[in-house]
Amino acid sequence: MPSTQTLPLRPVRTVAALLAALAAALLGVGPAFADDVDSISAGPGDDRTRLSYQLQPGQHLEDEYVVRNTGTTPQNVTLFATDAFNTDEGEFALLDTVKKPTAVGTWVLFDGSQPTEAFALAPGEQRTVPFTLAVPADAGPGDHAGGIVVSSQKGDGQILVDRRVATRLYVRVPGDLQPALTIANVSADYQAEWNPFAGSTAVTFTVRNSGNVALGATMLVGAKALFGIPAGTAVRQELPELLPGSTRTLTVVVPGTAQVGYLNPYVQLQPTVEKDALNPGPLALVSRDTVIAAVPWWILVLAALVAGFFLYRRWRRRSDGKRAEAWIAYTEEEARRKAREEQGADGSVEAEPVTASTAHGEDSGR
């Protein structure tokens, strides 16, 4: 029997590396080894998870940002600031690298006056980059959100890989702070099941940050029957942070909603702020509801069956009564007919029926 041999791991890696180098040489690019890693990290030099400031209009400050090459390959990086927005799914996002900021992203300058700073980092090297944050004199009150981004682009020809690392940037301008979430367009759709106690209610609504402070929320979505009796299992979820002016439409399914006829689905939002964010003060609970019909088909079917049963019994009684009356009339008529036939056969004269008036006349004659 022929024997099989397993190649040692190191020679296999060596052969793979040689093949990769040969392919790179044929393609006209530098050698890339299987163990090479492109990786960068960035953030404040301390333990902050975000850059959060409170500045008056026209005020500026200086801070530092640290960029590290945590990979095994040299990196050419570009540092810049940009604006933030919420995606349709409600996630915090930053503008693409090629898009120019128009808000807080324009407030950050590097090297004193430049919107970007580019430099190279060797493997394992890090650089501390000072930056200036200057708030315009006409900046409105509230939260202005963006991010500081480190971009490392590599590629050849039409393929370009853009690796980005970012830190959230919040600038709060004091003044008339209005932390406010609103709920609009509340609607609900009841889905019945064969089990009348196992239906569900899909509640759809739109949340809008109508104020000027970035807010998240703890959501409670449920349904009530008559007299505020709970119907179904209320669902509690966390709503990710919404930036001022952002909206998000959500659908939450409330399970275990019985077919109770009157149904009052509701949405409650308790606004929250991130633990690293500046506190805007008291946050009021927001709630909205709507009314729909969860038709109790099982009750209607049961009522219809019961009503049908009693109607049938009533009809049957009347029908049986009419049959009985007809039968009695028939039997009496048959009896009279037979009596007449028997009297005719005997040759006797049929006696005239005696009435009350005839009997009275006879008595008077006497």
Side-chain angles (χ1 to χ4, degrees), residues 181-184 186 220 224 265-271 284-290:
L181 293 179
T182 57
I183 307 171
V186 181
L220 184 66
K224 298 177 183 179
Y266 64 87
V267 180
Q268 293 180 352
L269 297 180
Q270 177 56 61
L285 179 72
V286 185
S287 64
R288 287 286 301 274
D289 62 357
T290 187

Side-chain angles (χ1 to χ4, degrees), residues 96-363:
D96 292 338
T97 304
V98 296
K99 291 186 177 181
K100 300 298 182 182
T102 58
V104 72
T106 64
W107 301 359
V108 177
L109 297 176
F110 302 94
D111 195 21
S113 60
Q114 301 301 318
T116 64
E117 183 164 343
F119 49 90
L121 288 176
E125 183 183 1
Q126 74 174 38
R127 177 177 294 191
T128 300
V129 182
F131 66 89
T132 300
L133 174 61
V135 180
D138 59 351
D143 288 344
H144 303 264
I148 293 184
V149 182
V150 179
S151 172
S152 174
Q153 297 183 350
K154 281 190 175 182
D156 182 63
Q158 296 181 347
I159 300 176
L160 180 65
V161 178
D162 184 8
R163 291 181 176 85
R164 303 205 315 172
V165 177
T167 301
R168 295 190 186 190
L169 168 67
Y170 293 84
V171 180
R172 176 170 294 171
V173 178
D176 184 16
L177 296 182
Q178 298 177 357
L181 293 179
T182 57
I183 307 171
N185 304 323
V186 181
S187 63
D189 181 29
Y190 182 76
Q191 299 294 329
E193 300 286 346
W194 287 109
N195 181 350
F197 302 99
S200 62
T201 303
V203 185
T204 302
F205 54 97
T206 299
V207 181
R208 177 179 176 82
N209 187 338
S210 56
N212 55 15
V213 176
L215 295 173
T218 298
M219 299 189 303
L220 184 66
V221 184
K224 298 177 183 179
L226 284 172
F227 311 112
I229 300 174
T233 303
V235 178
R236 186 181 299 274
Q237 292 182 0
E238 295 299 321
L239 176 70
E241 183 183 65
L242 278 179
L243 301 177
S246 298
T247 61
R248 185 181 178 190
T249 299
L250 302 99
T251 297
V252 177
V253 177
V254 180
T257 310
Q259 299 174 18
V260 293
Y262 172 87
L263 202 61
N264 177 215
Y266 64 87
V267 180
Q268 293 180 352
L269 297 180
Q270 177 56 61
T272 60
V273 293
E274 298 288 339
K275 63 180 181 178
D276 295 332
L278 296 172
N279 189 349
L283 301 172
L285 179 72
V286 185
S287 64
R288 287 286 301 274
D289 62 357
T290 187
V291 175
I292 62 171
V295 181
W297 295 111
W298 62 283
I299 295 179
L300 296 180
V301 171
L302 181 62
L305 291 175
V306 171
F309 173 74
F310 282 105
L311 289 174
Y312 172 76
R313 288 192 60 182
R314 184 177 179 182
W315 171 81
R316 186 64 181 268
R317 287 196 192 98
R318 289 183 177 181
S319 178
D320 291 345
K322 291 180 179 180
R323 290 195 191 98
E325 291 177 357
W327 176 253
I328 292 173
Y330 171 75
T331 55
E332 290 178 348
E333 180 63 26
E334 282 295 306
R336 287 193 291 268
R337 184 180 62 80
K338 288 183 179 181
R340 288 194 296 269
E341 290 178 353
E342 291 175 356
Q343 291 176 357
D346 294 340
S348 59
V349 179
E350 182 177 0
E352 182 180 355
V354 178
T355 63
S357 60
T358 306
H360 178 73
E362 292 175 355
D363 291 341

